[in-house]
Amino acid sequence: MENQFKQIATLIGDPTRATIMWTLLEGKAFTATELAIAVTTSPQNISMHLTKLVQANLLVVESQGRHKYYRFARKEIAYAIEAMISLVPPSISTQSTKTEKISGIKHCRTCYDHLAGKVGVALTDSLLQQQLLLDTSGGFEISPEGEKWFTEFGIPLTVLKQQKRSFLRPCLDWSERRPHMAGSVATALLDKMLLENWLRKTKDSRALTVTAKGKKEFQSRLGITI
Amino acid sequence: MENQFKQIATLIGDPTRATIMWTLLEGKAFTATELAIAVTTSPQNISMHLTKLVQANLLVVESQGRHKYYRFARKEIAYAIEAMISLVPPSISTQSTKTEKISGIKHCRTCYDHLAGKVGVALTDSLLQQQLLLDTSGGFEISPEGEKWFTEFGIPLTVLKQQKRSFLRPCLDWSERRPHMAGSVATALLDKMLLENWLRKTKDSRALTVTAKGKKEFQSRLGITI
DNA sequence: TCGACAGTTAAGTGCAAAATGAAGTGTTAG
DNA sequence: CTAACACTTCATTTTGCACTTAACTGTCGA
């Protein structure tokens, strides 16, 4: 197992392949040529690297006509890459400049079963600012006003509390580097937003798109401008 | 940030350095020479690699006389490595052979705030087998008999349930590749075992040692032979 | 049917970085 | 005080493997 780990580490560790993984974090599938452009290398070279990554079961390919679409073999791969990204030195310039273009997955995505990305963090921030959510030393807590808000939103808190699984906890966002809500409350919130058609899942990706209705609702209910 | 990620990936990705990280997962601090032996390379070489890892803030050094002790700079590093290990192909020979020597950290350790490693998994298995714990689709649940057991053990379940944090959830063990208990129940269980002197924390490591008393209690109460 | 395109395969090259050898500094133990 | 030890530094060698050049397979659009 030690050798297998070494193999995977060296596989991810090559600069070109690392950039491939970084690019694929986007969530969607990329063609070989798209990756070659994103990584700025030759088609032959990207082909070699992709072959290696597929052989190691880190990526999977899907042929469509003359194109080949590459993506992570399973979501654990993405989580491992995210874990590595979270090691990037907590530097001064971490707070990304406002001008930086935000790709789909960094904007709005699922993290296991709850909402993450810029929107997930913004949602949590909004609830905190309205004091519907309180940031205590032990994590997040829902205030009495918050309980009312969640109930009105259609989240049955009492039912969720009875569940044995995690109710509410902070989860660190790799792209925003800020905490956001996780736990059964966050899952229920995401489910409700999908059900109410605020958000829509994308095929083959953990990215979520905010619908027109969602934009309106985020604005009016939470003061969040998408 | 992309370049910083690439840097970290290549840093971990070198075979020698990957093995260093693997070795340090043990949790305890290693001297440069110990690592050179573990990795089977020369002192000069290990020195060079360790310097790089320290410069990147992945490791920290502590000088003690003529020795230098190296360990992970923060626990996130260990978690990232563990995430990478979890990518090791779900192969046939994953179920480790019984003869394989189990190092301290793989045997018994803390995972954030609860018990993990072989002992953590065995504890969970025992409770499941006695049907004090039930493995449902939504995670673990405590049976009525289980509630009695926990209460007798001195774990105030009703108090824990009122907490907003996760009550009980499965957590996948990287070394055993099997789930074990996490959440406030698991934390309370670990705290109690430390308080009752079943287990003892080790300095500078997430490894735990099972005391003589602990061995006896694990055997009689849970049928677990350490 | 043909040419442009997507991607692969094979052979050969180059270079960054890992390993090695030799010569240091600082520390401790006897 | 000296010798063994722990580790580092620097100059040199080695080498793995990423990348290139070139030739090829398969697919689509016109």
Side-chain angles (χ1 to χ4, degrees):
Chain A
M1 188 154 143
E2 177 188 331
N3 286 316
Q4 290 176 298
F5 164 68
K6 215 189 295 183
Q7 216 177 307
I8 287 183
T10 51
L11 222 45
I12 301 178
D14 170 79
T16 305
R17 285 190 295 260
T19 313
I20 293 176
M21 300 310 255
W22 171 276
T23 307
L24 286 176
L25 257 194
E26 188 81 10
K28 72 173 193 213
F30 281 77
T31 66
T33 312
E34 281 172 340
L35 283 170
I37 293 166
V39 176
T40 54
T41 186
S42 66
Q44 305 92 301
N45 200 28
I46 209 88
S47 177
M48 176 207 63
H49 287 301
L50 289 173
T51 307
K52 290 192 178 183
L53 290 169
V54 169
Q55 270 170 358
N57 286 307
L58 292 179
L59 302 185
V60 287
V61 214
E62 209 172 322
S63 289
Q64 258 175 52
R66 54 182 169 185
H67 297 278
K68 285 199 172 182
Y69 287 92
Y70 291 86
R71 57 187 165 81
F72 289 133
R74 45 218 151 88
K75 59 182 185 324
E76 287 76 32
I77 318 277
Y79 294 137
I81 304 293
E82 287 177 4
M84 291 176 72
I85 291 179
S86 73
L87 298 186
V88 167
S91 72
I92 319 98
S93 62
T94 291
Q95 294 294 51
S96 61
T97 54
K98 298 290 173 190
T99 52
E100 202 176 325
K101 150 174 160 271
I102 291 163
S103 64
I105 198 108
K106 286 186 190 163
H107 182 253
C108 194
R109 69 170 178 281
T110 55
C111 172
Y112 297 90
D113 56 4
H114 59 269
L115 190 63
K118 203 164 188 62
V119 174
V121 171
L123 170 64
T124 304
D125 282 350
S126 169
L127 294 179
L128 282 169
Q129 210 200 324
Q130 294 177 70
Q131 304 208 358
L132 303 175
L133 210 61
L134 306 173
D135 192 2
T136 70
S137 60
F140 292 139
E141 273 186 40
I142 297 176
S143 68
E145 304 85 62
E147 302 217 346
K148 209 159 70 185
W149 186 90
F150 276 101
T151 308
E152 280 171 6
F153 194 65
I155 312 273
L157 292 182
T158 45
V159 175
L160 293 179
K161 262 183 209 161
Q162 276 159 24
Q163 288 181 8
K164 296 286 162 73
R165 65 165 290 202
S166 175
F167 177 68
L168 178 58
R169 65 186 171 82
C171 176
L172 191 68
D173 197 277
W174 65 264
S175 54
E176 291 295 305
R177 302 187 142 249
R178 305 258 319 280
H180 59 262
M181 286 187 291
S184 59
V185 176
T187 305
L189 215 48
L190 171 61
D191 289 346
K192 183 73 178 172
M193 286 175 174
L194 286 168
L195 188 71
E196 293 289 331
N197 212 32
W198 290 26
L199 305 173
R200 203 168 292 153
K201 288 195 179 184
T202 55
K203 195 179 173 302
D204 284 336
S205 169
R206 282 154 53 227
L208 295 168
T209 50
V210 183
T211 64
K213 182 186 176 193
K215 282 182 193 174
K216 218 178 292 176
E217 297 282 6
F218 270 117
Q219 181 62 256
S220 62
R221 297 215 200 195
L222 297 154
I224 298 171
T225 310
I226 305 293
Chain B
M1 188 152 143
E2 177 186 330
N3 285 317
Q4 290 177 300
F5 164 68
K6 217 189 295 185
Q7 217 175 306
I8 286 182
T10 51
L11 221 45
I12 301 177
D14 170 78
T16 305
R17 286 191 293 261
T19 313
I20 292 175
M21 299 310 253
W22 170 276
T23 307
L24 285 176
L25 258 193
E26 188 82 11
K28 71 174 195 212
F30 281 79
T31 65
T33 312
E34 281 170 341
L35 283 169
I37 293 166
V39 177
T40 55
T41 187
S42 66
Q44 305 95 293
N45 201 27
I46 209 88
S47 177
M48 176 206 63
H49 286 301
L50 289 173
T51 306
K52 290 190 178 183
L53 291 169
V54 169
Q55 270 169 357
N57 286 308
L58 293 178
L59 303 186
V60 286
V61 214
E62 208 171 323
S63 290
Q64 258 173 52
R66 55 182 168 183
H67 297 277
K68 283 197 172 184
Y69 287 92
Y70 291 86
R71 59 189 164 80
F72 288 133
R74 47 219 150 88
K75 59 182 186 326
E76 286 77 32
I77 318 277
Y79 294 136
I81 303 294
E82 287 178 5
M84 291 175 72
I85 291 180
S86 73
L87 299 186
V88 167
S91 71
I92 320 97
S93 63
T94 291
Q95 295 291 49
S96 61
T97 54
K98 298 290 174 191
T99 51
E100 204 177 320
K101 151 174 161 270
I102 293 163
S103 64
I105 198 101
K106 286 185 190 165
H107 182 254
C108 194
R109 68 169 178 283
T110 55
C111 172
Y112 297 90
D113 56 4
H114 59 268
L115 191 61
K118 204 164 187 61
V119 173
V121 172
L123 169 62
T124 304
D125 282 349
S126 170
L127 294 178
L128 282 170
Q129 210 199 323
Q130 293 177 70
Q131 305 205 358
L132 303 175
L133 211 61
L134 306 173
D135 193 2
T136 70
S137 61
F140 292 139
E141 274 186 37
I142 297 177
S143 68
E145 305 84 62
E147 302 218 346
K148 208 159 73 184
W149 186 89
F150 276 102
T151 308
E152 280 171 6
F153 194 66
I155 312 270
L157 292 183
T158 45
V159 175
L160 294 180
K161 262 182 211 161
Q162 277 160 22
Q163 290 179 8
K164 294 284 163 74
R165 66 165 287 201
S166 176
F167 177 69
L168 178 58
R169 64 184 172 84
C171 175
L172 192 67
D173 197 278
W174 65 265
S175 55
E176 292 295 305
R177 302 182 144 250
R178 304 260 316 282
H180 59 262
M181 287 186 292
S184 59
V185 176
T187 306
L189 214 50
L190 172 60
D191 288 346
K192 183 74 179 174
M193 286 175 174
L194 286 167
L195 189 70
E196 292 289 332
N197 212 32
W198 291 26
L199 306 172
R200 203 170 292 156
K201 288 194 179 184
T202 55
K203 194 178 174 305
D204 283 336
S205 168
R206 281 153 56 225
L208 295 167
T209 50
V210 183
T211 64
K213 183 188 176 192
K215 282 182 193 174
K216 217 178 292 177
E217 298 281 7
F218 269 116
Q219 181 61 258
S220 63
R221 296 215 201 196
L222 297 155
I224 299 170
T225 310
I226 305 293

